[in-house]
Amino acid sequence: MDLLIENARLVTMQNGEQGYLPTPLARVGIQSGKIVAISTCANGEDSQQVEALLSAKQYPQTIDLQGKMMMPGLIDSHTHLIYAGNRANEFEMRLNGVPYQDIAKQGGGILSTVNATRAATQEQLVELALPRLDGLLASGVTSIEVKSGYGLTRQDEIKMLRAAKALEQERKVKITTTLLAAHALPPEYNDRSDDYITHVCETIIPLVAEEKLATSVDVFCESIGFNLAQTQRVFEAAKQHGLNVKGHTEQLSNLGGTALTAQYNGLSADHIEYLDEAGVIALSKSATIATLLPGAFYFLRESQLPPIELLRKHQVPMAIATDINPGTSPFADLTLMMNMACTLFRLTPQEALRGVTQHAAQALGYGDSRGVIAVGFDADFSIWDIEHPADLSYQIGAKRLLGRIVNGDYVSHKGL
């Protein structure tokens, strides 16, 4: 339904400092899910074309925000939202001094999630994901990337991707899917990692591309994951089948995965705690976004900080995401990640907000349609009862979200 929004203080997140500052009271016209006109007191509302588009008579629905703040819908650009099983017991065991190796021997760790996910039906995976999804939506999220990676067979990876896509039928949200079959080595391929990568490249990727179940392919390029040569094989296969690439890179060591991701024009390189200046320069020469995942850094009690100053020096855009997963980042609140990025990584609140709007959209390949408020972009907003954009990074837990607009459809979270 077409919609007219009145009396909104807009935080457009367009380039520059001005995009971070709330506008005077504005009117926004939405038709067919797109922004068709924006008018504020600042521009004098002197354009007849703008006024014609904003004529209330053309809009079957009008919402008066009464001076509340509206900004782009928040975007969580890195999640593992679909999985089965619960690893809270492992969390408790670790805090009681049980080594991870012993937990793994008892059937814990990532393989416990793999076994539980394989045993679950697609419908069960959807039901299990909904509470986590609702947590993200309550923090202002309108767009979410969801990875596979806990199936590790063709059948189960496909099941995960289909479950992720089914979430759009359950909630007002945009879901972007990513194949992460190269997440861990499944037990069936123990000591045969090259054979598994062949299976991913020759069997799983072609089917995912044919059935249009994902737009990107990701790889965990790490000493406990897959090496650089194996990562390159996956990237080659993805490109051959018309899929974008992304990388879990430099989380635990510096293998050069970020530079490789940039070489293949990847959408994003994620984690990057151990990234060096050569890797940052590689990012700066590409359109690849650096994605920070402070939840995993916090939960694992890491000490190696991502190279924030180098990223700033070389003007590499930074996205922020939850990395929500059962083992290393069990957090379903993107504003909490903004706070962590500021307190742990020393980002500014403006950098944090860009990291979950403009730069997060770029990390998912739709920087020309989401992440900022501008004519021609998707009508995708979050509406807040706050005084300043920095409030989103500053205070956690208070119920400040009033509503979301997804593809032009309004969803109330608190009422206006």
Side-chain angles (χ1 to χ4, degrees), residues 133-305:
L133 175 59
D134 286 340
L136 293 175
L137 302 187
S139 67
V141 170
T142 57
S143 305
I144 300 175
E145 184 251 25
V146 182
K147 303 179 189 293
S148 65
Y150 291 122
L152 308 184
T153 67
R154 182 176 66 175
Q155 175 183 346
D156 292 302
E157 290 290 292
I158 295 296
K159 177 179 66 177
M160 289 187 68
L161 293 172
R162 286 178 174 155
K165 284 183 168 292
L167 294 174
E168 285 189 329
Q169 308 306 314
E170 302 292 332
R171 300 290 188 270
K172 288 289 185 184
V173 64
K174 177 180 173 66
I175 299 291
T176 300
T177 45
T178 296
L179 174 69
L180 181 58
H183 189 196
L185 189 64
E188 299 87 351
Y189 284 86
N190 191 31
D191 296 325
R192 295 190 298 126
S193 60
D194 282 337
D195 290 343
Y196 179 62
I197 291 298
T198 298
H199 176 62
V200 171
C201 293
E202 297 182 0
T203 304
I204 301 180
I205 289 177
L207 182 59
V208 167
E210 180 184 352
E211 298 194 7
K212 294 180 170 55
L213 291 173
T215 54
S216 300
V217 175
D218 200 346
V219 183
F220 183 34
C221 180
E222 192 48 79
S223 56
I224 62 172
F226 298 95
N227 63 36
L228 207 59
Q230 292 166 336
T231 300
Q232 186 166 12
R233 288 179 60 194
V234 175
F235 285 177
E236 286 284 351
K239 289 294 187 179
Q240 288 171 9
H241 288 88
L243 298 173
N244 295 311
V245 301
K246 299 168 73 72
H248 278 62
T249 57
E250 271 71 68
Q251 181 183 10
L252 305 172
S253 60
N254 188 357
L255 297 185
T258 299
L260 182 67
T261 304
Q263 178 185 330
Y264 278 82
N265 297 311
L267 292 176
S268 69
D270 304 14
H271 285 292
I272 64 167
E273 282 91 335
Y274 283 81
L275 185 62
D276 60 13
E277 187 162 16
V280 174
I281 291 173
L283 287 178
S284 72
K285 294 179 179 179
S286 73
T288 304
I289 302 298
T291 300
L292 308 176
L293 304 174
F297 178 92
Y298 163 84
F299 197 73
L300 293 172
R301 301 184 69 195
E302 294 289 353
S303 57
Q304 177 73 31
L305 291 165

Side-chain angles (χ1 to χ4, degrees), residues 12 14-23 354:
T12 68
Q14 294 185 34
N15 289 331
E17 182 72 21
Q18 197 64 33
Y20 177 67
L21 300 176
T23 67
R354 290 200 184 278

Side-chain angles (χ1 to χ4, degrees), residues 75-151:
I75 300 169
D76 195 347
S77 62
H78 181 132
T79 85
H80 305 258
L81 192 66
I82 296 288
Y83 63 86
N86 187 310
R87 286 161 65 180
N89 62 318
E90 296 179 23
F91 176 62
E92 186 172 29
M93 290 169 70
R94 289 200 307 271
L95 291 174
N96 280 303
V98 180
Y100 180 80
Q101 292 83 350
D102 292 349
I103 294 174
K105 288 178 182 177
Q106 297 175 36
I110 189 172
L111 288 183
S112 70
T113 301
V114 170
N115 290 334
T117 301
R118 288 179 175 182
T121 66
Q122 178 180 318
E123 293 73 21
Q124 288 171 330
L125 291 176
V126 171
E127 288 301 313
L128 289 168
L130 286 176
R132 301 188 282 265
L133 175 59
D134 286 340
L136 293 175
L137 302 187
S139 67
V141 170
T142 57
S143 305
I144 300 175
E145 184 251 25
V146 182
K147 303 179 189 293
S148 65
Y150 291 122

Side-chain angles (χ1 to χ4, degrees), residues 17-95:
E17 182 72 21
Q18 197 64 33
Y20 177 67
L21 300 176
T23 67
L25 295 183
R27 305 166 75 199
V28 180
I30 299 165
Q31 294 180 347
S32 301
K34 295 287 186 179
I35 303 170
V36 296
I38 301 172
S39 180
T40 70
C41 296
N43 64 28
E45 299 190 69
D46 56 358
S47 167
Q48 291 184 357
Q49 183 180 10
V50 168
E51 283 306 302
L53 287 168
L54 289 176
S55 171
K57 295 179 182 178
Q58 297 182 20
Y59 295 89
Q61 184 180 10
T62 300
I63 298 176
D64 187 344
L65 294 193
Q66 302 174 11
K68 302 303 183 185
M69 189 174 295
M70 187 169 80
M71 59 183 62
L74 304 192
I75 300 169
D76 195 347
S77 62
H78 181 132
T79 85
H80 305 258
L81 192 66
I82 296 288
Y83 63 86
N86 187 310
R87 286 161 65 180
N89 62 318
E90 296 179 23
F91 176 62
E92 186 172 29
M93 290 169 70
R94 289 200 307 271
L95 291 174

